[in-house]
Amino acid sequence: MNNLYKQLAKAIFLAAAVIILMWFFYTIISVILLFLFAIVLSIAINDPVVRLEKRKIKRIWSTAIVFTIIFIAFAGIAILVGPKITDQISSVAKNLPAYSIQASNNVSSWFAAYPELQEKIRITPASVSSWFPSMPSTLMQAGNFSLSVLSSIIVIIVFISLIVFMVATPQPLLELYLQVFPPTQRNKATIAFTQISVMIKGWMKSNLIGGFSNAVMVTIFLNLLGIPGAFVWGALAFFTEFIPRIGFFIKAIPPILVALSINGYVATWVIVFYFATDEIMADFIMPRVRSSTMKIHPVSILFVVMAMGAAFGFIGILLATPLTAIVKAYFEVFYLTKYEDDQSMGTRVQQMLYQDKII
């Protein structure tokens, strides 16, 4: 009987410990995600630091130089285009109800032969006014947690400091990482981490180049057409490059809707422009930038984007591609290496796809 009570008490204690641990991780999940994002950025920033180190510059000074350049670049962008973007955001937000009404009127005019459909498409001022009060609260919920302005500043400072320390003194962290694995598995762990680093560097490089190219093209083209908020849509095009696959729709739909408020002819040109630039970037520029650094199937990325977005919001979407790269690297190094290469893999795929007989 005493043994039964001891076993029961042990089971209750273990269940309570698991519940407390799960509650703890649920509470700090936002911190964990930020920490993971800091690791991703640290790996990306490590590349230029290593390049300077190879030029006989001490790591601490290499880190200082790289972060100084990053700070100057962000400060320069903020000074040059920040005020313009701020003014245009204010203007677009103020005129958004009018744009919505005018766009619906223009679209509904295409269906003059179908009055019932016209009524469903047309937006009235009363319906618009019921939409927009909820928009600020929706935008505030884009992250996983809300903080006061002071708390946000503190989190940003701590986040940047975390990245700086990771880049400046990575050796203890890498030793800790290897100590997680048994000695017999540390060679594989090293190979996996190296592959992850290569893919994350390629991801960051391609996003920066693609985002900047998109931002410049979008801003210039929409300015030439006289689309309101051209700098805003250019900035949106830059940041949506970090959102795989679905970023195109996020950056294209808002300016297209604004263009519809002008007339259908202008909207058509905007639609053509976005699809043309997306094809050029996807087929010619980005493959050369990414090279062979990230061989990840789009379905894998989209699945992780949906899962991470549903679970963790915007920060989860940002981490989706790096997380896919991490899973891919460990799967290939720790699992696939257990088996010999299947020389008939292509034939098997052909048979499954076209129902051919395997010879």
Side-chain angles (χ1 to χ4, degrees):
M1 184 65 76
N2 287 334
N3 287 336
L4 179 61
Y5 284 133
K6 287 180 180 180
Q7 292 294 329
L8 184 60
K10 185 177 179 180
I12 294 173
F13 177 79
L14 182 61
V18 170
I19 291 172
I20 292 172
L21 191 63
M22 291 176 63
W23 170 83
F24 177 73
F25 277 107
Y26 176 78
T27 305
I28 66 168
I29 189 66
S30 298
V31 177
I32 294 173
L33 289 174
L34 281 177
F35 183 74
L36 289 174
F37 195 47
I39 293 175
V40 169
L41 292 180
S42 300
I43 292 173
I45 295 172
N46 181 64
D47 187 47
V49 172
V50 169
R51 290 174 185 268
L52 291 176
E53 267 195 300
K54 290 180 179 178
R55 295 179 178 271
K56 308 301 181 183
I57 301 175
K58 290 185 177 180
R59 188 169 185 91
I60 188 68
W61 291 112
S62 301
T63 303
I65 291 170
V66 170
F67 275 94
T68 301
I69 293 172
I70 293 173
F71 174 78
I72 291 173
F74 273 100
I77 292 171
I79 292 171
L80 291 174
V81 300
K84 189 73 174 177
I85 291 176
T86 302
D87 291 343
Q88 289 194 354
I89 287 176
S90 176
S91 176
V92 169
K94 186 186 300 182
N95 296 312
L96 202 53
Y99 293 150
S100 303
I101 294 170
Q102 186 59 46
S104 71
N105 289 338
N106 289 340
V107 173
S108 64
S109 66
W110 303 344
F111 302 94
Y114 306 95
E116 293 182 0
L117 184 58
Q118 267 190 321
E119 289 301 319
K120 292 182 179 180
I121 295 174
R122 186 175 289 115
I123 298 173
T124 62
S127 62
V128 171
S129 63
S130 66
W131 293 354
F132 290 100
S134 63
M135 287 188 67
S137 61
T138 303
L139 294 174
M140 290 299 292
Q141 294 171 2
N144 291 315
F145 55 91
S146 59
L147 298 167
S148 65
V149 174
L150 180 61
S151 298
S152 299
I153 293 173
I154 293 173
V155 169
I156 291 171
I157 293 172
V158 172
F159 181 73
I160 294 173
S161 302
L162 186 63
I163 297 173
V164 171
F165 284 120
M166 284 181 176
V167 176
T169 55
Q171 289 84 357
L173 296 173
L174 292 175
E175 289 177 5
L176 181 63
Y177 161 76
L178 289 174
Q179 288 170 359
V180 173
F181 300 88
T184 55
Q185 298 292 322
R186 287 176 185 172
N187 186 48
K188 288 185 176 181
T190 302
I191 295 171
F193 187 86
T194 303
Q195 290 184 6
I196 290 167
S197 298
V198 171
M199 285 190 284
I200 287 178
K201 290 170 188 174
W203 170 75
M204 181 61 72
K205 178 182 176 182
S206 63
N207 286 337
L208 290 176
I209 294 175
F212 181 77
S213 303
N214 268 316
V216 171
M217 289 189 294
V218 166
T219 303
I220 292 174
F221 182 80
L222 296 185
N223 260 319
L224 291 175
L225 284 185
I227 305 296
F231 280 91
V232 176
W233 311 132
L236 182 64
F238 175 83
F239 288 108
T240 52
E241 194 66 33
F242 288 84
I243 304 175
R245 307 301 168 184
I246 60 175
F248 168 76
F249 300 100
I250 297 174
K251 73 180 180 183
I253 291 175
I256 289 173
L257 293 177
V258 173
L260 277 171
S261 68
I262 300 174
N263 58 61
Y265 178 76
V266 173
T268 301
W269 276 109
V270 173
I271 293 170
V272 170
F273 165 78
Y274 271 101
F275 275 101
T277 53
D278 185 66
E279 285 299 315
I280 292 171
M281 295 295 294
D283 294 339
F284 297 100
I285 297 177
M286 299 312 293
R288 287 168 173 76
V289 173
R290 290 193 176 100
S291 185
S292 60
T293 55
M294 295 193 76
K295 293 180 179 178
I296 303 176
H297 196 280
V299 172
S300 302
I301 295 178
L302 281 175
F303 173 77
V304 180
V305 166
M306 290 188 295
M308 292 291 288
F312 307 117
F314 184 69
I315 187 81
I317 293 174
L318 286 179
L319 283 171
T321 302
L323 182 62
T324 308
I326 292 170
V327 173
K328 179 177 184 287
Y330 282 107
F331 177 76
E332 290 178 346
V333 173
F334 282 91
Y335 180 76
L336 292 185
T337 52
K338 295 180 180 179
Y339 305 98
E340 295 181 0
D341 289 339
D342 187 355
Q343 302 299 327
S344 301
M345 180 67 75
T347 306
R348 299 181 201 282
V349 172
Q350 188 83 0
Q351 194 273 337
M352 289 189 293
L353 187 59
Y354 299 105
Q355 294 81 48
D356 293 336
K357 293 182 178 179
I358 298 179
I359 301 174

